[in-house]
Amino acid sequence: MATSFNHRVFVAAGTRDGLYLFESDLDRRSWEAYGPFLKGMDVSHAILDPRDGTTVWAAANGEDCSAVYRSLDRGETWEMAGQPFDVEKVWHVEPALANRPGTVFVGTDPATLFRSDDSGDSWYPVEGLSSHSSRAEWWPGGGGMCLHTIVTNPARPDDLFVGISVGGVLYSPDFGETW
């Protein structure tokens, strides 16, 4: 994912063998490359947290562990954020907007939305989505039955959208309470 912050462009590239970070000025004529980080992990998604411009979040999966990792110093050092998830795969990690500085979301397979309000130290499932009336109709797509996309809306901070394969796109107007 490419992000512009402080007149710099930041790209996080998750691969099946770790995470690579790239940085450039806005002209994008030359790039600095860093990594691989989280070697041996299958990194399905990574993002620079726009709330501070230094925290990098990564959804990473290994043979024995599916977890979210965070770097508080733009990739210099890494730590697991909380405990590993008891899921098939962690697919997406998304920081909330600036009005919720400690909140981060995670999408997994099987399709579950997790939330942390303490910067990833602890996670809990968003029950409004887990008990959604259409859940019995969701079925696995090519990547499993995963919650693969989480989108926030800067114009309406309580809006939350999630993409579920093959459950569709669901919308919450109240930050995940109802869908």
Side-chain angles (χ1 to χ4, degrees):
M1 165 160 261
T3 304
S4 176
F5 194 84
N6 286 344
H7 306 289
R8 303 283 295 165
V9 177
F10 184 86
V11 176
T15 73
R16 290 187 174 165
D17 194 32
L19 174 66
Y20 296 84
L21 304 176
F22 302 91
E23 194 168 358
S24 179
D25 61 19
L26 294 178
D27 290 335
R28 301 177 189 183
R29 292 194 178 133
S30 65
W31 291 84
E32 297 171 44
Y34 308 96
F37 304 105
L38 307 173
K39 285 183 182 180
M41 301 289 284
D42 179 0
V43 179
S44 56
H45 183 256
I47 187 168
L48 176 66
D49 194 326
R51 297 173 296 189
D52 65 11
T54 58
T55 302
V56 182
W57 296 96
N61 302 279
E63 283 188 33
D64 300 324
C65 178
S66 291
V68 172
Y69 289 83
R70 66 182 167 217
S71 170
L72 302 176
D73 51 17
R74 288 188 128 192
E76 300 262 337
T77 59
W78 290 87
E79 64 186 1
M80 187 181 296
Q83 299 296 313
F85 290 82
D86 186 19
V87 297
E88 293 293 317
K89 188 170 186 177
V90 176
W91 272 94
H92 189 101
V93 57
E94 188 71 29
L97 299 172
N99 64 325
R100 290 185 173 89
T103 302
V104 183
F105 290 99
V106 171
T108 66
D109 173 7
T112 304
L113 179 65
F114 288 89
R115 177 175 163 178
S116 172
D117 291 318
D118 56 11
S119 299
D121 291 336
S122 62
W123 301 93
Y124 61 91
V126 175
E127 292 300 328
L129 186 62
S130 295
S131 61
H132 195 272
S133 62
S134 70
R135 189 171 183 94
E137 299 168 24
W138 304 351
W139 52 278
M145 193 176 86
C146 60
L147 192 153
H148 54 75
T149 305
I150 304 164
V151 178
T152 58
N153 181 358
R156 295 185 50 173
D158 286 343
D159 283 0
L160 194 58
F161 298 85
V162 296
I164 298 172
S165 178
V166 173
V169 175
L170 286 92
Y171 164 70
S172 173
D174 52 15
F175 211 60
E177 293 296 318
T178 61
W179 294 87

